[in-house]
Amino acid sequence: MSMEKTKVKTLLEACLVVLIIVIISELIGIIKFAVGPGTVTLLPMLFAVILGILCAPSLLGKIIKPMKKIVNEDVIEFSGSVVVIALLPLGVKYGTLVGPNIVKIIQAGPALLLQELGNIGTIFIGLPIALLLGMKREAVGAAVSICREPTLGVVSEKYGINSPEGTGVLGTYMMGTVFGTIFFGLLGSLSVGTGLHPYALAMASGMGSASMMTAASSSLAAAAPAEMSDTILAYAATSNMLTGVTGLYVVIFISLPLINKLYDVLEPRIGKKKEES
């Protein structure tokens, strides 16, 4: 019984913290300002992520002592396990946008399917940088893709989560979880100023992460013309869904063999030598 009471207490504390963060974020509202040719749109979700990070006991807890009692390790562990559940209503909401725009989605043709190949770009950009920073086999896991759940599962199954490759993929996964929403929220609004079509940018927003896709597509929809809003969200939701399906096979059959081959070529040339003890 004491265990059940502890779980209920943890749930109530987590809900209280979330409620406070939501209220503060909504009170701040949407903030827009011009940066060069584009407009940066800061959505309440961005402020919610920042406030959530600040609530960590190691940060805000040092300043506001009562926060350590509310946001303790139990609350943090519980919150991490319910993130996927919390995102399900969001997925349903975006799913309802796909149906009314199905004709436009079909007209997009193979573009939505082929956009997954764009994730291979992480290999050619991320792997050399990782090797220059001194990473070894960790670079394979870290740079094989944007490293969301399908990639995490594939690398963990092939190499083991405690392997160097597993450490790399888990590191990228955690960085995406903490900073991905902030980064893509800013990128979504700034990308309008590049001159690329908003629908193409909407497809690019579907990178296999519900939170990142939501941040990117929402800020993109807010910065683009109002009549494009629903179509942008529909393209992003469909792209995200297809990435979750096709991304698994791209990682298995294309990305992993490619990055291993490229690692063998680049590591002897640009990799840092480990110092002898």
mmCIF file of all heavy atoms in Angstrom, residues 24-35 39-47 185-186 189 219 222-223:
data_model
loop_
_atom_site.group_PDB
_atom_site.id
_atom_site.type_symbol
_atom_site.label_atom_id
_atom_site.label_comp_id
_atom_site.label_asym_id
_atom_site.label_seq_id
_atom_site.Cartn_x
_atom_site.Cartn_y
_atom_site.Cartn_z
ATOM 1 N N ILE A 24 2.368 29.229 -16.952
ATOM 2 C CA ILE A 24 3.380 30.258 -17.195
ATOM 3 C C ILE A 24 3.660 30.403 -18.692
ATOM 4 O O ILE A 24 3.742 31.518 -19.225
ATOM 5 C CB ILE A 24 4.685 29.924 -16.439
ATOM 6 C CG1 ILE A 24 4.446 29.967 -14.928
ATOM 7 C CG2 ILE A 24 5.792 30.903 -16.836
ATOM 8 C CD1 ILE A 24 5.637 29.524 -14.103
ATOM 9 N N SER A 25 3.777 29.257 -19.386
ATOM 10 C CA SER A 25 4.070 29.286 -20.828
ATOM 11 C C SER A 25 2.949 29.954 -21.615
ATOM 12 O O SER A 25 3.199 30.737 -22.537
ATOM 13 C CB SER A 25 4.288 27.858 -21.340
ATOM 14 O OG SER A 25 5.352 27.232 -20.665
ATOM 15 N N GLU A 26 1.695 29.638 -21.272
ATOM 16 C CA GLU A 26 0.558 30.238 -21.972
ATOM 17 C C GLU A 26 0.432 31.727 -21.667
ATOM 18 O O GLU A 26 0.003 32.508 -22.521
ATOM 19 C CB GLU A 26 -0.736 29.511 -21.587
ATOM 20 C CG GLU A 26 -0.850 28.106 -22.145
ATOM 21 C CD GLU A 26 -0.876 28.079 -23.662
ATOM 22 O OE1 GLU A 26 -1.341 29.064 -24.268
ATOM 23 O OE2 GLU A 26 -0.414 27.089 -24.250
ATOM 24 N N LEU A 27 0.791 32.127 -20.457
ATOM 25 C CA LEU A 27 0.765 33.550 -20.126
ATOM 26 C C LEU A 27 1.811 34.325 -20.933
ATOM 27 O O LEU A 27 1.584 35.466 -21.327
ATOM 28 C CB LEU A 27 1.002 33.747 -18.620
ATOM 29 C CG LEU A 27 -0.154 33.341 -17.697
ATOM 30 C CD1 LEU A 27 0.267 33.472 -16.238
ATOM 31 C CD2 LEU A 27 -1.384 34.206 -17.972
ATOM 32 N N ILE A 28 2.972 33.694 -21.178
ATOM 33 C CA ILE A 28 3.987 34.334 -22.012
ATOM 34 C C ILE A 28 3.482 34.459 -23.448
ATOM 35 O O ILE A 28 3.678 35.476 -24.109
ATOM 36 C CB ILE A 28 5.306 33.527 -21.979
ATOM 37 C CG1 ILE A 28 5.881 33.529 -20.558
ATOM 38 C CG2 ILE A 28 6.317 34.115 -22.967
ATOM 39 C CD1 ILE A 28 7.094 32.636 -20.385
ATOM 40 N N GLY A 29 2.811 33.391 -23.925
ATOM 41 C CA GLY A 29 2.207 33.411 -25.253
ATOM 42 C C GLY A 29 3.209 33.278 -26.384
ATOM 43 O O GLY A 29 4.334 32.809 -26.184
ATOM 44 N N ILE A 30 2.802 33.689 -27.581
ATOM 45 C CA ILE A 30 3.647 33.611 -28.775
ATOM 46 C C ILE A 30 4.416 34.925 -28.942
ATOM 47 O O ILE A 30 3.825 35.999 -28.916
ATOM 48 C CB ILE A 30 2.799 33.343 -30.038
ATOM 49 C CG1 ILE A 30 2.051 32.011 -29.901
ATOM 50 C CG2 ILE A 30 3.670 33.330 -31.281
ATOM 51 C CD1 ILE A 30 1.095 31.728 -31.039
ATOM 52 N N ILE A 31 5.712 34.799 -29.103
ATOM 53 C CA ILE A 31 6.579 35.972 -29.290
ATOM 54 C C ILE A 31 7.208 35.885 -30.680
ATOM 55 O O ILE A 31 7.793 34.859 -31.040
ATOM 56 C CB ILE A 31 7.667 36.038 -28.205
ATOM 57 C CG1 ILE A 31 7.030 36.191 -26.814
ATOM 58 C CG2 ILE A 31 8.635 37.194 -28.482
ATOM 59 C CD1 ILE A 31 8.035 36.207 -25.683
ATOM 60 N N LYS A 32 7.092 36.952 -31.446
ATOM 61 C CA LYS A 32 7.673 37.004 -32.790
ATOM 62 C C LYS A 32 8.618 38.192 -32.885
ATOM 63 O O LYS A 32 8.334 39.268 -32.358
ATOM 64 C CB LYS A 32 6.578 37.150 -33.865
ATOM 65 C CG LYS A 32 5.621 35.967 -33.966
ATOM 66 C CD LYS A 32 4.618 36.188 -35.093
ATOM 67 C CE LYS A 32 3.655 35.023 -35.221
ATOM 68 N NZ LYS A 32 2.692 35.212 -36.339
ATOM 69 N N PHE A 33 9.752 37.981 -33.567
ATOM 70 C CA PHE A 33 10.653 39.088 -33.858
ATOM 71 C C PHE A 33 11.447 38.756 -35.115
ATOM 72 O O PHE A 33 11.690 37.584 -35.434
ATOM 73 C CB PHE A 33 11.589 39.389 -32.680
ATOM 74 C CG PHE A 33 12.419 38.219 -32.233
ATOM 75 C CD1 PHE A 33 13.676 37.985 -32.768
ATOM 76 C CD2 PHE A 33 11.936 37.347 -31.260
ATOM 77 C CE1 PHE A 33 14.443 36.917 -32.359
ATOM 78 C CE2 PHE A 33 12.703 36.269 -30.832
ATOM 79 C CZ PHE A 33 13.956 36.057 -31.381
ATOM 80 N N ALA A 34 11.827 39.793 -35.830
ATOM 81 C CA ALA A 34 12.511 39.624 -37.115
ATOM 82 C C ALA A 34 13.996 39.375 -36.903
ATOM 83 O O ALA A 34 14.640 40.013 -36.069
ATOM 84 C CB ALA A 34 12.308 40.858 -37.981
ATOM 85 N N VAL A 35 14.530 38.424 -37.675
ATOM 86 C CA VAL A 35 15.964 38.149 -37.693
ATOM 87 C C VAL A 35 16.378 38.027 -39.161
ATOM 88 O O VAL A 35 16.085 37.013 -39.809
ATOM 89 C CB VAL A 35 16.327 36.859 -36.933
ATOM 90 C CG1 VAL A 35 17.818 36.562 -37.086
ATOM 91 C CG2 VAL A 35 15.960 36.975 -35.466
ATOM 92 N N THR A 39 11.458 35.509 -39.793
ATOM 93 C CA THR A 39 10.813 35.884 -38.535
ATOM 94 C C THR A 39 10.904 34.714 -37.568
ATOM 95 O O THR A 39 10.517 33.594 -37.896
ATOM 96 C CB THR A 39 9.333 36.239 -38.747
ATOM 97 O OG1 THR A 39 9.244 37.321 -39.664
ATOM 98 C CG2 THR A 39 8.663 36.633 -37.438
ATOM 99 N N VAL A 40 11.443 34.970 -36.399
ATOM 100 C CA VAL A 40 11.529 33.932 -35.375
ATOM 101 C C VAL A 40 10.223 33.914 -34.586
ATOM 102 O O VAL A 40 9.777 34.945 -34.079
ATOM 103 C CB VAL A 40 12.716 34.185 -34.423
ATOM 104 C CG1 VAL A 40 12.738 33.152 -33.311
ATOM 105 C CG2 VAL A 40 14.012 34.154 -35.195
ATOM 106 N N THR A 41 9.617 32.745 -34.517
ATOM 107 C CA THR A 41 8.370 32.579 -33.771
ATOM 108 C C THR A 41 8.632 31.677 -32.571
ATOM 109 O O THR A 41 8.948 30.495 -32.727
ATOM 110 C CB THR A 41 7.269 31.957 -34.650
ATOM 111 O OG1 THR A 41 7.085 32.771 -35.818
ATOM 112 C CG2 THR A 41 5.956 31.869 -33.889
ATOM 113 N N LEU A 42 8.530 32.239 -31.387
ATOM 114 C CA LEU A 42 8.747 31.473 -30.161
ATOM 115 C C LEU A 42 7.392 31.058 -29.611
ATOM 116 O O LEU A 42 6.608 31.894 -29.169
ATOM 117 C CB LEU A 42 9.518 32.309 -29.133
ATOM 118 C CG LEU A 42 10.868 32.879 -29.601
ATOM 119 C CD1 LEU A 42 11.530 33.664 -28.481
ATOM 120 C CD2 LEU A 42 11.782 31.770 -30.088
ATOM 121 N N LEU A 43 7.118 29.766 -29.642
ATOM 122 C CA LEU A 43 5.843 29.241 -29.194
ATOM 123 C C LEU A 43 5.883 28.892 -27.711
ATOM 124 O O LEU A 43 6.963 28.671 -27.145
ATOM 125 C CB LEU A 43 5.477 27.998 -30.000
ATOM 126 C CG LEU A 43 5.309 28.205 -31.507
ATOM 127 C CD1 LEU A 43 5.165 26.862 -32.206
ATOM 128 C CD2 LEU A 43 4.111 29.077 -31.800
ATOM 129 N N PRO A 44 4.709 28.799 -27.073
ATOM 130 C CA PRO A 44 4.665 28.407 -25.658
ATOM 131 C C PRO A 44 5.371 27.086 -25.375
ATOM 132 O O PRO A 44 5.924 26.899 -24.294
ATOM 133 C CB PRO A 44 3.161 28.310 -25.375
ATOM 134 C CG PRO A 44 2.539 29.272 -26.337
ATOM 135 C CD PRO A 44 3.379 29.197 -27.572
ATOM 136 N N MET A 45 5.379 26.162 -26.371
ATOM 137 C CA MET A 45 6.061 24.882 -26.165
ATOM 138 C C MET A 45 7.543 25.086 -25.876
ATOM 139 O O MET A 45 8.148 24.370 -25.061
ATOM 140 C CB MET A 45 5.899 23.990 -27.394
ATOM 141 C CG MET A 45 6.680 22.684 -27.311
ATOM 142 S SD MET A 45 6.546 21.670 -28.782
ATOM 143 C CE MET A 45 4.902 21.036 -28.582
ATOM 144 N N LEU A 46 8.147 26.053 -26.552
ATOM 145 C CA LEU A 46 9.564 26.337 -26.346
ATOM 146 C C LEU A 46 9.818 26.784 -24.911
ATOM 147 O O LEU A 46 10.763 26.322 -24.256
ATOM 148 C CB LEU A 46 10.011 27.422 -27.333
ATOM 149 C CG LEU A 46 11.477 27.849 -27.260
ATOM 150 C CD1 LEU A 46 12.387 26.685 -27.614
ATOM 151 C CD2 LEU A 46 11.736 29.013 -28.191
ATOM 152 N N PHE A 47 8.963 27.666 -24.408
ATOM 153 C CA PHE A 47 9.115 28.134 -23.033
ATOM 154 C C PHE A 47 8.860 27.001 -22.042
ATOM 155 O O PHE A 47 9.493 26.933 -20.989
ATOM 156 C CB PHE A 47 8.147 29.291 -22.771
ATOM 157 C CG PHE A 47 8.271 30.420 -23.758
ATOM 158 C CD1 PHE A 47 7.163 30.912 -24.430
ATOM 159 C CD2 PHE A 47 9.504 30.988 -24.038
ATOM 160 C CE1 PHE A 47 7.274 31.933 -25.349
ATOM 161 C CE2 PHE A 47 9.630 32.018 -24.952
ATOM 162 C CZ PHE A 47 8.512 32.494 -25.615
ATOM 163 N N GLY A 185 12.224 24.299 -33.056
ATOM 164 C CA GLY A 185 11.238 25.371 -32.931
ATOM 165 C C GLY A 185 11.755 26.665 -33.541
ATOM 166 O O GLY A 185 11.021 27.376 -34.240
ATOM 167 N N LEU A 186 13.030 26.962 -33.298
ATOM 168 C CA LEU A 186 13.641 28.150 -33.895
ATOM 169 C C LEU A 186 13.880 27.952 -35.384
ATOM 170 O O LEU A 186 13.651 28.856 -36.192
ATOM 171 C CB LEU A 186 14.968 28.461 -33.193
ATOM 172 C CG LEU A 186 14.881 28.883 -31.730
ATOM 173 C CD1 LEU A 186 16.267 28.964 -31.119
ATOM 174 C CD2 LEU A 186 14.164 30.216 -31.591
ATOM 175 N N SER A 189 10.728 28.460 -37.813
ATOM 176 C CA SER A 189 10.331 29.823 -38.170
ATOM 177 C C SER A 189 11.385 30.521 -39.012
ATOM 178 O O SER A 189 11.073 31.272 -39.935
ATOM 179 C CB SER A 189 10.053 30.635 -36.896
ATOM 180 O OG SER A 189 11.178 30.615 -36.038
ATOM 181 N N SER A 219 5.802 26.288 -35.500
ATOM 182 C CA SER A 219 6.435 27.587 -35.728
ATOM 183 C C SER A 219 6.460 27.921 -37.214
ATOM 184 O O SER A 219 6.319 29.086 -37.602
ATOM 185 C CB SER A 219 7.850 27.599 -35.153
ATOM 186 O OG SER A 219 8.637 26.572 -35.725
ATOM 187 N N ALA A 222 3.011 29.054 -38.169
ATOM 188 C CA ALA A 222 2.751 30.399 -37.647
ATOM 189 C C ALA A 222 3.450 31.465 -38.469
ATOM 190 O O ALA A 222 2.948 32.598 -38.590
ATOM 191 C CB ALA A 222 3.200 30.485 -36.186
ATOM 192 N N ALA A 223 4.598 31.128 -39.063
ATOM 193 C CA ALA A 223 5.355 32.105 -39.846
ATOM 194 C C ALA A 223 4.926 32.157 -41.304
ATOM 195 O O ALA A 223 5.119 33.170 -41.976
ATOM 196 C CB ALA A 223 6.852 31.784 -39.768
#
